[in-house]
C-alpha cells in the first residue's frame, strides 16, 4: 500500500477522522451536523447553523466552505456559537 492508497485523515476537534476521499469543508460540516447545506454554507432547511470552522488555525468563511478542499493532515476545528454567560 502506498501513501496514495490510504484515505485522507484529518484531526477533527482533537480526534483523528478519516475522510471518504476528496472532501470539501462544506461536505464535512454537512456530515458532522447531519444537515443538508446549500453551496453558500447556509442550511437548506432555512434554519440557523451557528458554527464556525477553522483549518490549521485559520478561520474559513462560510461562503468559501464549498471550494475549500480538506487534505490529509489538516487540523480542523468546528466550534458552536453559545449564547449566554
Amino acid at each position: 500500500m502506498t501513501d496514495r492508497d490510504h484515505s485522507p485523515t484529518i484531526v477533527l476537534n482533537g480526534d483523528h477522522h478519516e475522510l471518504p476521499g476528496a472532501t470539501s469543508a462544506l461536505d464535512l460540516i454537512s456530515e458532522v451536523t447531519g444537515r443538508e447545506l446549500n453551496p453558500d454554507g447556509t442550511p437548506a432547511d432555512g434554519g440557523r447553523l451557528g458554527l464556525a470552522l477553522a483549518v490549521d488555525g485559520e478561520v474559513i468563511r462560510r461562503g468559501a466552505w464549498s471550494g475549500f478542499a480538506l487534505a490529509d493532515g489538516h487540523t480542523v476545528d468546528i466550534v458552536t456559537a453559545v449564547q449566554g454567560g
Side-chain angles (χ1 to χ4, degrees):
M1 180 181 221
T2 67
D3 286 341
R4 291 179 171 223
D5 292 336
H6 80 280
S7 296
T9 302
I10 61 172
V11 176
L12 175 60
N13 292 346
D15 294 322
H16 290 283
H17 181 84
E18 190 171 302
L19 301 174
T23 303
S24 70
L26 184 80
D27 296 333
L28 180 66
I29 295 289
S30 183
E31 174 193 334
V32 168
T33 63
R35 295 175 74 183
E36 183 180 347
L37 301 176
N38 296 316
D40 66 356
T42 58
D45 62 16
R48 296 181 57 107
L49 198 54
L51 52 83
L53 171 100
V55 178
D56 294 338
E58 183 178 334
V59 174
I60 308 301
R61 292 180 307 104
R62 183 180 311 262
W65 289 352
S66 62
F68 190 95
L70 296 171
D72 196 44
H74 270 153
T75 298
V76 180
D77 294 300
I78 298 174
V79 293
T80 304
V82 178
Q83 185 176 354

